[in-house]
Amino acid sequence: MNFIEEIDTSKLPQHIAVIMDGNGRWAKGQGLMRVAGHKKGSKAVRETVEASAELGIRYLTLYTFSTENWNRPKIEVDTLMKLLVSSLKKEIKTLQDNDIALRAIGNLSSLPAKAQRELEEVIEKTRNNSRMTLTLALSYGAREELIKSVKEISLKVKKDLISPHLIDDAVIKEHLYTHDLPDVDLLIRTSGEQRISNFMLWQIAYAELYFTPVLWPDFTKEHLYEAIYNYQKRERRFGKTSEQIN
Ligand code: IPE
Ligand code: IPE
Ligand code: MG
């Protein structure tokens, strides 16, 4: 099936988030080191970013490194951080050519200084691009994000800047890393794992979940089109009845 021809571009998910998983298993399957899987994975990133922008997706968020991923062997963590820096250097052109603004969410101060600098530079250079916002979740954990939000709100309560009974969805959202992003419409996870792994717990409350066995380094534009096609076949009810929706 040629999925792209079946996609209704007037009903695209506004915000797609991806848990890019399976690099290690891909490498193992090829008899290579895990690192080779991460390298090949960065090609899938470019392909997905380009395809999303071309289609007209407004927000794409990629789970790139979790707070829990710091617990991996040092050699793997170091390599991933180096790969981040080299990819940013290399892909700035892709971002500019496609009018894409880069953003990052997570505990960014825990990244190596070099990665922070490179990230800041690319974010600054692409700031005024408007076709799509690409957000990298780096040293990101949803629980860490929620804790940060609770701490900030508590301080405001203590200083009488906000009254506890006025704390609502909007107030919580304002204090999340994703305060300026809409909720996730479609969450894709590759590699066959069917779990969330501490990714955007608040923001995916009503996301459509799509799990594919494809390993991230093998993920292509066609796979993205298939996920969007699948998404468009669903009925999002947000608690209402089907009759109310139609
Ligand atoms: C995803 O691939 C990349 C990161 C988590 C950084 P993995 O490295 O988790 O690959 P698997 O799950 O071991 O196959
Ligand atoms: C989730 O993948 C994190 C990223 C894709 C960056 P993991 O491979 O770390 O998740 P678990 O450990 O299998 O849950
Ligand atoms: Mg994994």
Side-chain angles (χ1 to χ4, degrees):
M1 190 158 170
N2 195 356
F3 291 106
I4 190 160
E5 281 170 11
E6 304 296 324
I7 291 176
D8 178 351
T9 49
S10 71
K11 290 193 185 111
L12 289 173
Q14 190 187 14
H15 186 178
I16 298 181
V18 187
I19 303 177
M20 311 182 288
D21 198 13
N23 294 353
R25 277 163 284 168
W26 180 89
K28 200 171 178 187
Q30 308 278 321
L32 300 169
M33 307 277 283
R34 292 181 59 83
V35 173
H38 297 314
K39 285 209 178 109
K40 185 87 195 316
S42 59
K43 295 213 176 80
V45 170
R46 185 195 297 156
E47 181 140 342
T48 304
V49 168
E50 279 178 351
S52 300
E54 282 160 15
L55 263 183
I57 302 300
R58 298 307 312 276
Y59 298 91
L60 175 68
T61 301
L62 303 177
Y63 203 7
T64 309
F65 192 86
S66 72
T67 46
E68 289 73 25
N69 287 149
W70 290 113
N71 298 320
R72 291 193 178 192
K74 185 173 182 312
I75 175 83
E76 181 165 347
V77 172
D78 289 349
T79 310
L80 281 166
M81 292 303 146
K82 278 189 195 137
L83 193 60
L84 170 65
V85 173
S86 61
S87 300
L88 286 167
K89 281 192 202 297
K90 204 160 77 194
E91 300 305 336
I92 173 115
K93 188 170 157 24
T94 311
L95 299 178
Q96 299 293 38
D97 290 351
N98 290 283
D99 195 17
I100 298 167
L102 185 77
R103 289 206 43 204
I105 54 171
N107 185 8
L108 304 178
S109 60
S110 64
L111 297 173
K114 207 169 170 188
Q116 288 185 46
R117 272 201 306 275
E118 199 58 43
L119 207 51
E120 270 165 32
E121 194 182 320
V122 179
I123 290 171
E124 188 48 44
K125 281 184 177 156
T126 61
R127 185 172 296 281
N128 296 321
N129 292 350
S130 59
R131 190 181 184 193
M132 185 176 86
T133 299
L134 168 65
T135 305
L136 300 183
L138 287 161
S139 189
Y140 174 89
R143 287 186 173 179
E144 192 266 343
E145 179 182 43
L146 287 166
I147 292 165
K148 181 188 86 73
S149 169
V150 170
K151 280 184 184 161
E152 287 174 10
I153 296 167
S154 308
L155 272 176
K156 288 188 182 169
V157 168
K158 202 173 164 193
K159 290 182 186 162
D160 272 334
L161 294 170
I162 184 167
S163 135
H165 72 267
L166 290 180
I167 297 172
D168 58 6
D169 282 42
V171 172
I172 307 258
K173 186 183 169 178
E174 242 173 71
H175 294 85
L176 299 175
Y177 293 125
T178 53
H179 56 89
D180 49 1
L181 298 179
D183 277 354
V184 175
D185 299 302
L186 169 62
L187 174 69
I188 300 171
R189 183 172 189 147
T190 59
S191 90
E193 306 299 354
Q194 301 192 7
R195 55 177 172 263
I196 302 302
S197 301
N198 201 14
F199 190 42
M200 302 217 278
L201 297 179
W202 177 273
Q203 301 85 340
I204 64 166
Y206 264 104
E208 295 297 328
L209 309 183
Y210 180 84
F211 299 102
T212 167
V214 175
L215 300 172
W216 179 249
D218 290 327
F219 195 82
T220 62
K221 293 185 180 192
E222 286 306 318
H223 294 119
L224 178 75
Y225 302 149
E226 186 173 1
I228 295 171
Y229 172 79
N230 181 292
Y231 164 90
Q232 290 188 333
K233 289 268 167 270
R234 303 183 190 188
E235 182 178 62
R236 301 184 78 192
R237 289 189 289 276
F238 299 96
K240 296 183 180 170
T241 67
S242 191
E243 289 68 28
Q244 284 176 294
I245 303 293
N246 293 299

